[in-house]
């Protein structure tokens, strides 16, 4: 609002005050930004898109502005800031207020920061998970007593197993209505990758149709409002490049529970530059996932996997989609590591479902993939979601060649992810990186190391500057 | 900027991206807010006042916008988020970047939140203090080998001893160039109170003149840029209603050190509703203050005082100024507790300066106050700062009467402070509360308990609603 408008002047409202806005029955709490001069007409408020949407406000009509009520759950956040444990009720209050958009961004940032690391104990994580489930929709799948799911805690560029696992498992007749997130801190989430191939922005009814038709889906979870609090938290987590343990578990499990899942495998890659860096940490996380899952009524099996380097060759939505298609099609040059990891995860879901050994599950999964049934099933799912899209090409590409003969000894996942993000992923779906070599490979002088894709010169230059200054992900030995 | 402008479109900039703005030699990092429609002309950016100021930007001229560089110190913040100790260099990097306005508000909120409570150890607090001193101006007082200072860690409404202590101590010929802050989470800081009486917004040269003239000043510290990082941190601390231990010590001591102080007393009130609630906590804080002070070359004496109820009768800038004047003038109804506390603090400064006992110091202080020399000295300081102002009257006042004869058994400092803030303090200087009774007083039916002052009906009603619903600070026994 304008500094000279009657609200800013006569009611003691100052810049950054929290205010309540009311339009008909709806209200939101907002932060007052004060503008000088003629930017806004006098007596007018400029609202954000989300405030307009939540208020169902109509331009030109009258809006009520008043002091914001005291948001009492903020005292619980302060309690946590000062290192005290929160009760289930306190956590539920916080999550309810966040879902109702009563927190400012800095208040959410404060809450997330003091819950990060290992600062939530198992009771608090259970409380947070349940609070997040309470705030959103909850799906049920009539007539099904086993609903499968999978999740990777991330940190490994290119590890796009979900479309493969879902296709393999549902080809066997099991039900896996998979909703995925977009990237939080990575160059691509499964939803970002699938969106390059088909429609993922499905509403609940559409998801139910796809699942009724195919036993599966590969949709974005955000559109069905499974965990609205989580979506608000993730916005700030992304801006802070932060992903706390308790928050992570609650985010993952609340969405699984809300999606009606009964059994899930969780892939935990471990490596020096993965999200989880030691077996000890992985075991701790696995134990928390399993305990919190059990307390919330979902059977979780954690799989601790190799996270020493990227999986597959493509990094970024479109490049990862290419890898997925090549594995499904059984192409000769399909990345073997991606194939094997997807088979391993599918094997574990078979093992959970049929109470068979992982070895038996692996035979089952391999046969489904190699017979082409997984590809057919993938095509059915894509068809049910609205049909296949043409993958877009990036406007700019740059291929980096090795100046000397060499062997690749290490690839830093974080730097590689950052490189792909600076190139524009996932905002520009075609942006990213394609690796031409992995750890253990040897290259002759002048052979390509990677290709960088971007949709703008600015991003290309920014990414290449990062690569040459501080962000080279490759450790090489000259041979 | 507009969503359809060439920067938002062609360079992959999205809402909330961090961007660098350049104008001639100056640059800032800013958060990109994207607006729809005609709010801004195409190709135009709307800047905040602070960005305009820091860039020395001129309206209508060309501004360069580019991707923000990676702010590497954010990785140190993440390290702290995950519970690891920071080195001096890491803290210095963070504070340097914050001072240079390279952090967004949510990044500052994250840093403050994970440094709150007892999460900084003594080494980190020393590092933070020194880093904050490095970033600002540093005053020196030629020819003086002893520069006094005082500080109260706050939490006690009305505890406005500073103008009294400064007047008493400088009347004795000691040097006490006092710069004070505005309120962080309280209804008034010393700068807010002094501003109702005289000019406090002095630049360095003006402060030096006042001190040369009177041995003292009662100025606002913010205008001399003693700790620019702290000013930025305090903005977010205030919004989060957060005041961490390490941050508190670093904030206080960095300003003392930058102000050239060599000896200081720190008043730590303890009480169930004060900022510090137990002697244990007070002793811990006292020990940290003394250790950090010693490491940074300033002699600190901490005084643990009674914080069980407000000091004086007025709460809010103007009402506290009235109390200060009445003590200086020796009015019959001057609040005795405020007088005694000021004398005790002054006595300790005399004890530090003359290496005499506190008892000797107390005789000296009492004699200066009772002889009228402190009042004269206060008038000299005010005169040197620009002369006395007329205290404004609040537009609205409401006096609350007790419905039955009663005795006051407790006053909740926090609720009282909140009541005064809701009434508009310190933004409206005349807003606040005047107590008509303190703990131990008895009142007959219909006698006044307190008067609430505010400058708008909205704030008055808001404060009174808080008082009657959940915020009554008084515990009374019917007699």
């Amino acid at each position: 609002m304008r500094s000279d408008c009657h609200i800013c002047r006569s009611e003691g409202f100052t810049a950054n005050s929290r205010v309540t806005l009311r339009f008909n029955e709806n209200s939101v709490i907002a932060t007052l930004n004060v503008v000088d001069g003629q930017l806004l007409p006098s007596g007018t408020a400029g609202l954000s898109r989300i405030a307009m949407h939540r208020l169902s406000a109509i331009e030109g009509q009258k809006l009520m502005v008043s002091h914001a009520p005291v948001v009492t759950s903020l005292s619980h956040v302060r309690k946590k800031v000062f290192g005290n444990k929160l009760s289930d009720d306190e956590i539920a209050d916080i999550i309810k207020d966040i879902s109702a958009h009563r927190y400012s961004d800095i208040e959410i940032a404060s809450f997330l920061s003091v819950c990060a690391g290992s600062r939530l104990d198992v009771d608090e994580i259970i409380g947070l998970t349940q609070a997040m489930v309470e705030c959103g929709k909850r799906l049920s799948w009539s007539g099904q007593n086993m609903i499968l799911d999978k999740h990777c805690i991330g940190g490994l560029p290119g590890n796009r197993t979900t479309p493969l696992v879902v296709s393999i498992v549902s080809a066997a007749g099991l039900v896996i209505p998979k909703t995925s997130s977009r990237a939080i801190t990575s160059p691509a989430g499964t939803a970002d990758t699938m969106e390059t191939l088909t429609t993922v922005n499905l509403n609940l009814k559409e998801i139910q149709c796809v699942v009724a038709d195919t036993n599966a889906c590969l949709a974005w979870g955000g559109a069905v409002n499974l965990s609205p609090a989580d979506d608000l938290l993730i916005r700030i987590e992304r801006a802070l490049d932060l992903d706390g343990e308790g928050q992570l578990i609650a985010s993952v499990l609340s969405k699984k529970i809300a999606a009606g899942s009964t059994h899930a495998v969780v892939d935990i890659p471990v490596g020096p530059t993965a999200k989880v860096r030691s077996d000890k940490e992985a075991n701790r996380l696995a134990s928390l996932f399993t305990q919190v899952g059990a307390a919330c009524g979902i059977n979780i099996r954690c799989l601790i996997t190799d996270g020493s380097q990227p999986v597959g060759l493509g990094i970024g939505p479109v490049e990862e989609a290419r890898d997925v298609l090549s594995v499904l099609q059984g192409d000769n040059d399909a990345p073997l590591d991606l194939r094997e990891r997807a088979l391993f995860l599918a094997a574990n879901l078979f093992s959970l479902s049929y109470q068979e050994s992982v070895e038996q599950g692996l035979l089952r999964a391999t046969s489904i993939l190699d017979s082409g049934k997984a590809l057919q099933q993938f095509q059915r799912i894509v068809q049910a979601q609205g049909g296949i899209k043409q993958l877009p090409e990036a406007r700019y590409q740059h291929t980096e060649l090795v100046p000397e003969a060499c062997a690749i000894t290490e690839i830093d996942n974080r730097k590689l992810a950052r490189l792909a993000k600076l190139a524009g992923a996932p905002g520009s779906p075609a942006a990213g990186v394609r690796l031409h070599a992995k750890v253990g490979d040897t290259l002759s002088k002048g052979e390509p190391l990677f290709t960088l894709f971007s949709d703008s010169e600015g991003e290309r230059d920014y990414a290449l500057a990062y690569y040459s200054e501080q962000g080279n992900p490759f450790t090489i030995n000259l041979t």
Side-chain angles (χ1 to χ4, degrees), chain A:
Chain A
M1 292 188 286
R2 258 167 73 149
S3 52
D4 61 358
C5 81
H6 71 290
I7 290 172
C8 293
R9 291 180 55 174
S10 69
E11 292 286 322
F13 287 86
T14 58
N16 297 319
S17 293
R18 299 285 285 165
V19 297
T20 298
L21 305 180
R22 280 200 183 75
F23 187 82
N24 296 333
E25 313 288 87
N26 302 321
S27 72
V28 295
I29 297 185
T31 299
L32 174 58
N33 290 319
V34 175
V35 297
D36 291 331
Q38 305 298 321
L39 201 59
L40 284 173
S42 199
T44 307
L47 302 190
S48 68
R49 282 180 218 164
I50 192 154
M52 286 295 283
H53 175 73
R54 287 182 61 84
L55 289 170
S56 304
I58 299 165
E59 206 155 331
Q61 295 212 4
K62 206 170 176 178
L63 188 74
M64 299 293 295
V65 182
S66 57
H67 289 279
V70 176
V71 178
T72 51
S73 73
L74 284 169
S75 66
H76 310 327
V77 174
R78 266 194 295 285
K79 183 175 164 188
K80 189 72 194 167
V81 166
F82 287 92
N84 301 299
K85 179 170 174 168
L86 296 179
S87 71
D88 286 356
D89 286 347
E90 288 167 337
I91 294 171
D93 287 346
I94 293 170
I95 294 302
K96 221 175 289 164
D97 281 337
I98 290 175
S99 308
H101 291 253
R102 295 194 190 105
Y103 275 42
S104 67
D105 287 353
I106 61 167
E107 288 161 350
I108 294 176
S110 178
F111 173 65
L112 285 172
S113 299
V114 296
C115 293
S118 310
R119 294 201 176 124
L120 292 180
D121 73 9
V122 66
D123 297 334
E124 291 175 311
I125 303 173
I126 293 168
L128 184 59
T129 306
Q130 285 169 337
M132 284 164 73
V133 171
E134 290 304 314
C135 281
K137 281 207 194 85
R138 197 155 175 177
L139 312 188
S140 61
W141 307 95
S142 53
Q144 301 296 339
N145 54 9
M146 192 176 268
I147 301 294
L148 303 188
D149 213 332
K150 66 82 62 181
H151 186 80
C152 175
I153 68 142
L156 222 50
N159 189 15
R160 195 58 53 221
T161 55
T162 297
L164 300 167
V165 173
V166 167
S167 301
I168 294 167
V169 167
S170 60
L174 297 173
V175 182
I176 183 163
K178 183 79 187 91
T179 56
S180 301
S181 60
R182 299 190 189 276
I184 299 182
T185 58
S186 72
T190 293
D192 300 308
T193 298
M194 284 307 302
E195 194 164 41
T196 67
L197 291 165
T198 187
T199 311
V200 296
N201 199 342
L202 305 183
N203 63 31
L204 179 52
K205 211 165 163 189
E206 290 164 336
I207 288 179
Q208 285 165 330
C209 284
V210 174
V211 175
D213 196 15
T214 67
N215 282 333
C217 68
L218 283 160
W220 175 50
V224 287
N225 216 21
L226 282 181
S227 190
D230 195 44
D231 297 338
L232 294 168
L233 294 175
I234 282 177
R235 225 185 89 243
I236 304 296
E237 276 184 75
R238 191 193 302 234
L240 291 174
D241 208 354
L242 196 75
D243 215 353
E245 174 189 275
Q247 187 54 44
L248 167 74
I249 293 169
S251 168
V252 170
L253 292 186
S254 67
K255 285 186 169 159
K256 303 264 164 287
I257 294 163
S261 304
T262 58
H263 295 71
V265 294
V266 175
D267 178 9
I268 305 180
V270 180
T273 58
K275 190 175 279 174
V276 174
R277 300 192 186 194
S278 70
D279 282 337
K280 190 180 154 200
E281 203 186 326
N283 284 323
R284 179 184 153 79
L285 206 53
S287 156
L288 284 171
F289 258 117
T290 316
Q291 283 179 73
V292 175
C296 299
I298 179 170
N299 188 342
I300 299 293
R301 182 183 289 183
C302 289
L303 304 168
I304 296 176
T305 58
D306 176 20
S308 63
Q309 65 164 330
V311 175
L313 297 166
I315 320 296
V318 164
E319 291 306 311
E320 295 177 26
R322 294 191 204 283
D323 280 358
V324 165
L325 293 177
S326 73
V327 170
L328 284 170
Q329 291 159 0
D331 293 350
N332 282 335
D333 58 354
L336 195 62
D337 55 348
L338 178 63
R339 169 189 158 93
E340 286 182 350
R341 189 170 296 235
L343 288 171
F344 176 65
L345 295 175
N348 273 280
L349 281 171
F350 285 139
S351 159
L352 275 175
S353 303
Y354 299 127
Q355 297 175 352
E356 65 188 14
S357 71
V358 178
E359 289 70 27
Q360 287 171 308
L362 199 56
L363 289 175
R364 197 189 287 267
T366 309
S367 137
I368 290 172
L369 180 61
D370 290 347
S371 67
K373 283 186 194 153
L375 174 60
Q376 275 170 32
Q377 173 65 6
F378 180 78
Q379 289 164 336
R380 284 180 61 208
I381 297 168
V382 165
Q383 206 51 48
Q385 291 190 192
I388 192 96
K389 292 184 191 168
Q390 183 85 27
L391 290 178
E393 301 283 338
R395 288 173 60 202
Y396 298 90
Q397 52 174 286
H398 164 90
T399 296
E400 185 76 14
L401 310 177
V402 292
E404 299 294 337
C406 62
I408 316 272
T409 58
E410 270 175 60
I411 301 178
D412 184 312
N413 293 310
R414 288 165 191 249
K415 288 182 176 169
L416 182 61
R418 176 138 198 102
L419 189 63
K421 283 162 71 181
L422 292 177
S428 300
V433 172
R434 173 149 296 269
L435 301 171
H436 300 301
K438 298 282 288 276
V439 170
D441 291 347
T442 55
L443 295 172
S444 308
K445 177 173 173 172
E447 278 196 295
L449 181 60
F450 69 90
T451 301
L452 184 93
F453 302 94
S454 69
D455 270 339
S456 77
E457 288 183 69
E459 286 166 316
R460 180 195 62 193
D461 295 348
Y462 196 42
L464 290 174
Y466 172 75
Y467 171 77
S468 57
E469 281 160 25
Q470 48 175 319
N472 185 340
F474 302 94
T475 307
I476 58 173
N477 271 351
L478 298 183
T479 50

